[in-house]
C-alpha cells in the first residue's frame, strides 16, 4: 500500500452530498479524497436560483457549489474532477479505486455519492439533434425557439413547469406524455391545462427525430392504438426524470429495482465501510438539503468506522 | 459576466487577436447556465494537459459575440454553449450544447494537434 495514495476516506461524487461529506471528514482531520466524473457541484449547478436553502435568501447553484468546494479544500480535502473510475474494489478493510489516468488510490472507507443524470429517450436521432433542436434545459435554450412551435416530453413537475415557462418564447407548446394522466402536482397541471398556448398528446411517446442541419420532425407513437404519426416541430424539450449513476456499482453492492443504493439509517450499504449519500440513494425526497443531510450522516458514520478500524489494527499490532 | 477561471474574450477585437496570435484556440461562448458551466469546468481541467491550446470563454449575450453567433459553422445550433475550435485562425470544428470531457478531448486530439517543425 502506497501511503501517499492512501486516504482515510474516498468519496465518489462531488455534488452536495459528496462535498458535505468532504467538509465534515477533512474538518475531522481525516485524509479525504473526492473524485468526480463531471464538474464539481453535480446537479446542484443545474439550478439557476436556489431560494429554499435555509439561512441563504437566494443563491445560484454554481455559487453554492463553489463555496462548498472551497470549504472542503480549505479543510484539506483533495478533489479530482472530470475523471472516471476504471476499477473499484469495495470488499475488505482496504478499498481501492483506479482512475482513467491510471492512478490508484486506497482507503479505509468509501462514501458513494454519484448522484443522477437527466433521463434520455434513447431513440433514433436523439444524440444527433442534441443542441440542434433537442434540449434538456428550458432556461438555457428557450430563447432559440422564439415564435416557434415546440414539444415538451414528460408528465412530472419539471415537464409541466418548464412547458409553461417556454410559452414566454414559443408560439405553441405541445406536451407529449406516455400515460393518460400526469404525475405533477395539481397546481402545475392546472396551470398547464389553462394555458392557451399549451396543448396535449397523451398516451404517446416520441420514437424518432428527423431533420437535416436541425430538427424538423418527430415520429410519435400512439401507445393505445400502436400507430405512428410524423409531426413537424422546431424543437423538443425532454424532462422525463433522472436515473441514478450507479451502473458501475452493479454486482458490487445491493441496489433496488430502480438501481438506487440501499442503505440503513447510518447511510451504510450492505458492505462494511461503504456508505452512500445523495440522489443515488433509495429514498422518496431528493433535495439539496436532503443530500447534505445524507452526506453529513455518511461522513460521521464513516469517521466512526475508520476510528474503530484504526483502533482495532493498533490493538492487533500491540498484541 | 462569466465567473470562470478561463481567459475572457470581451469583444470582437479580442477575439481576432486570440485566434490570430495563437495556433490552437478553443472558445466557449455561453452563459452561466447548466449546459455551459460543465464545459467551462472541462476546459479549466484540460488547460494544464493541453499547453499548446489556448482556452477562452465569451459571453453569449454580449453583442460582440456575433463573431461566433454569425459564422456558418453554427447554422442550426439551438443550444448553448457554442464551442468553436480554431487552427491558425480558421474554424476547424464547432459543437452545440453540453459536451463530455471525452468528447472535448477527442476534438482537441484530432483537430488541435501540436505542430512539428521539420
Amino acid at each position: 500500500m502506497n501511503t501517499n495514495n492512501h486516504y482515510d476516506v474516498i468519496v465518489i461524487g462531488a455534488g452536495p452530498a459528496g462535498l458535505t461529506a468532504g467538509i465534515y471528514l477533512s474538518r475531522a482531520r481525516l485524509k479525504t479524497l473526492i473524485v468526480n466524473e463531471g464538474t464539481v457541484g453535480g446537479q446542484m449547478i443545474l439550478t439557476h436560483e436556489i431560494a429554499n436553502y435555509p439561512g441563504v435568501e437566494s443563491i445560484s447553484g454554481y455559487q453554492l457549489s463553489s463555496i462548498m468546494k472551497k470549504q472542503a479544500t480549505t479543510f484539506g480535502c483533495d478533489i479530482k474532477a472530470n475523471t472516471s473510475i476504471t476499477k473499484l474494489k469495495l470488499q475488505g478493510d482496504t478499498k481501492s479505486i483506479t482512475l482513467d489516468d491510471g492512478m490508484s488510490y486506497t482507503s479505509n472507507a468509501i462514501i458513494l455519492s454519484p448522484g443522477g443524470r437527466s433521463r434520455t429517450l434513447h431513440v433514433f436521432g436523439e444524440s444527433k439533434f442534441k443542441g440542434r433542436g433537442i434540449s434538456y434545459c428550458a432556461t438555457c435554450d428557450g430563447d432559440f425557439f422564439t415564435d416557434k412551435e415546440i414539444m415538451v416530453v414528460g408528465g412530472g413537475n419539471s415537464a409541466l413547469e418548464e412547458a409553461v415557462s417556454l410559452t414566454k418564447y414559443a408560439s405553441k407548446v405541445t406536451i407529449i406524455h406516455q400515460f393518460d394522466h400526469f404525475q405533477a402536482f395539481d397546481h402545475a397541471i392546472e396551470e398547464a391545462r389553462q394555458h392557451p398556448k399549451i396543448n396535449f398528446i397523451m398516451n404517446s411517446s416520441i420514437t424518432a427525430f428527423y431533420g437535416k442541419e436541425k430538427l424538423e420532425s418527430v415520429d410519435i407513437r400512439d401507445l393505445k392504438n400502436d400507430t405512428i404519426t410524423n409531426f413537424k416541430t422546431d424543437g423538443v424539450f425532454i424532462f422525463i426524470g433522472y436515473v441514478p449513476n450507479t451502473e458501475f456499482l452493479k454486482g458490487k453492492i445491493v441496489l433496488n429495482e430502480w438501481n438506487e443504493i440501499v442503505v440503513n439509517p447510518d447511510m451504510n450499504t450492505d458492505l462494511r465501510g461503504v456508505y452512500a449519500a445523495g440522489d443515488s440513494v433509495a429514498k422518496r425526497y431528493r433535495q439539496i438539503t436532503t443530500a447534505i443531510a445524507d452526506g453529513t450522516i455518511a461522513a460521521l458514520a464513516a469517521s466512526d468506522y475508520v476510528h474503530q478500524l484504526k483502533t482495532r489494527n493498533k490493538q492487533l499490532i500491540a498484541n | 459576466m462569466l465567473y470562470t477561471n478561463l481567459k475572457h474574450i470581451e469583444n470582437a477585437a479580442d477575439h481576432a487577436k486570440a485566434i490570430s496570435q495563437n495556433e490552437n484556440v478553443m472558445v466557449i461562448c455561453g452563459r452561466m447556465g447548466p449546459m455551459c458551466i460543465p464545459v467551462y469546468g472541462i476546459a479549466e481541467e484540460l488547460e494544464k494537459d493541453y499547453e499548446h491550446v489556448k482556452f477562452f470563454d465569451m459571453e453569449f449575450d454580449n453583442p460582440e459575440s456575433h463573431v461566433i453567433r454569425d459564422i456558418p459553422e453554427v447554422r442550426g445550433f439551438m443550444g448553448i454553449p457554442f464551442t468553436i475550435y480554431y487552427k491558425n485562425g480558421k474554424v476547424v470544428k464547432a459543437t452545440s450544447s453540453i459536451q463530455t470531457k471525452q468528447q472535448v478531448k477527442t476534438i482537441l486530439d484530432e483537430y488541435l494537434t501540436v505542430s512539428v517543425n521539420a
Side-chain angles (χ1 to χ4, degrees):
Chain A
M1 187 167 69
N2 178 346
T3 52
N4 288 332
N5 285 356
H6 183 77
Y7 287 84
D8 291 312
V9 184
I10 293 174
V11 180
I12 297 176
L19 288 170
T20 302
I23 292 166
Y24 270 78
L25 291 163
S26 47
R27 191 160 187 249
R29 303 284 172 85
L30 290 173
K31 193 179 173 197
T32 306
L33 170 67
I34 300 178
V35 295
N36 193 51
E37 193 156 282
T39 303
V40 172
Q43 289 189 81
M44 182 163 52
I45 60 168
L46 305 188
T47 310
H48 278 276
E49 187 194 8
I50 298 162
N52 57 359
Y53 190 85
V56 181
E57 282 189 351
S58 175
I59 190 167
S60 75
Y62 179 71
Q63 284 175 302
L64 187 56
S65 56
S66 297
I67 295 166
M68 286 186 191
K69 179 185 176 185
K70 191 177 171 194
Q71 281 180 291
T73 53
T74 301
F75 289 129
C77 183
D78 291 335
I79 299 179
K80 291 184 183 297
N82 288 301
T83 186
S84 56
I85 296 167
T86 54
K87 275 187 196 163
L88 176 66
K89 177 181 164 279
L90 297 175
Q91 301 274 356
D93 285 349
T94 302
K95 326 293 184 190
S96 67
I97 63 166
T98 303
L99 303 181
D100 56 3
D101 60 3
M103 294 293 291
S104 293
Y105 303 90
T106 56
S107 65
N108 299 119
I110 279 192
I111 295 175
L112 304 165
S113 54
R117 63 184 184 279
S118 295
R119 191 187 296 273
T120 57
L121 289 170
H122 287 295
V123 299
F124 176 81
E126 187 176 10
S127 55
K128 180 180 176 185
F129 293 109
K130 185 189 84 172
R132 290 174 177 266
I134 296 176
S135 176
Y136 305 87
C137 177
T139 46
C140 304
D141 302 331
D143 57 349
F144 288 105
F145 299 89
T146 301
D147 297 328
K148 294 187 184 300
E149 295 193 1
I150 62 168
M151 295 175 170
V152 168
V153 182
N157 287 314
S158 295
L160 271 63
E161 286 167 7
E162 298 292 22
V164 170
S165 110
L166 284 163
T167 59
K168 283 185 289 188
Y169 310 104
S171 57
K172 181 183 172 189
V173 177
T174 302
I175 297 176
I176 316 287
H177 189 41
Q178 61 180 328
F179 302 119
D180 62 0
H181 61 281
F182 292 110
Q183 288 75 48
F185 291 135
D186 286 345
H187 67 83
I189 299 170
E190 195 61 23
E191 195 178 357
R193 284 204 187 283
Q194 289 186 352
H195 202 289
K197 283 186 179 177
I198 297 179
N199 63 344
F200 304 88
I201 300 178
M202 306 300 283
N203 296 304
S204 298
S205 64
I206 291 179
T207 55
F209 295 92
Y210 304 102
K212 288 177 184 164
E213 279 190 343
K214 58 183 180 179
L215 179 69
E216 292 169 10
S217 72
V218 294
D219 276 350
I220 295 181
R221 181 191 296 274
D222 183 319
L223 298 169
K224 271 192 172 171
N225 305 325
D226 201 24
T227 54
I228 293 178
T229 310
N230 186 264
F231 288 85
K232 296 259 179 263
T233 188
D234 297 308
V236 175
F237 286 77
I238 301 169
F239 305 105
I240 51 173
Y242 292 92
V243 284
N245 294 322
T246 53
E247 290 83 358
F248 72 110
L249 297 171
K250 279 184 184 170
K252 293 183 186 295
I253 57 167
V254 171
L255 304 175
N256 67 12
E257 61 188 302
W258 297 287
N259 292 322
E260 299 160 338
I261 304 168
V262 177
V263 292
N264 70 12
D266 282 344
M267 310 313 290
N268 198 177
T269 68
D270 61 309
L271 294 181
R272 273 166 42 85
V274 180
Y275 302 83
D279 282 4
S280 57
V281 164
K283 60 180 179 180
R284 183 170 179 189
Y285 298 112
R286 290 181 170 81
Q287 297 285 305
I288 293 172
T289 47
T290 60
I292 284 167
D294 288 353
T296 306
I297 295 165
L300 294 173
S303 177
D304 193 32
Y305 171 81
V306 170
H307 178 70
Q308 285 178 24
L309 193 70
K310 285 182 176 177
T311 305
R312 191 192 74 188
N313 288 345
K314 273 183 193 166
Q315 285 170 348
L316 284 173
I317 291 166
N319 293 333
Chain B
M1 177 76 182
L2 297 175
Y3 302 97
T4 77
N5 294 316
L6 298 171
K7 290 179 280 297
H8 307 306
I9 291 178
E10 305 284 355
N11 51 48
D14 276 358
H15 175 264
K17 195 172 158 189
I19 63 170
S20 64
Q21 294 187 348
N22 300 289
E23 182 186 350
N24 298 302
V25 175
M26 174 183 177
V27 182
I28 307 159
C29 186
R31 299 173 175 138
M32 287 311 290
M35 298 291 128
C36 304
I37 291 168
V39 186
Y40 304 136
I42 290 165
E44 287 176 14
E45 287 281 327
L46 292 176
E47 268 188 320
K48 59 183 180 296
D49 296 331
Y50 288 81
E51 289 178 352
H52 63 289
V53 179
K54 299 296 176 197
F55 296 84
F56 297 91
D57 62 33
M58 188 170 194
E59 209 168 357
F60 192 83
D61 296 312
N62 177 346
E64 298 274 300
S65 72
H66 66 81
V67 292
I68 286 173
R69 285 184 282 111
D70 294 347
I71 60 174
E73 288 82 358
V74 305
R75 196 181 300 129
F77 281 13
M78 299 177 94
I80 54 170
F82 290 4
T83 305
I84 317 297
Y85 300 81
Y86 300 89
K87 180 93 178 170
N88 297 320
K90 299 263 189 295
V91 178
V92 288
K93 182 75 179 170
T95 62
S96 174
S97 194
I98 191 170
Q99 305 288 313
T100 64
K101 184 182 179 185
Q102 192 51 54
Q103 286 172 317
V104 174
K105 281 177 75 173
T106 301
I107 294 169
L108 293 175
D109 293 341
E110 185 176 349
Y111 294 97
L112 303 188
T113 50
V114 186
S115 290
V116 179
N117 294 322

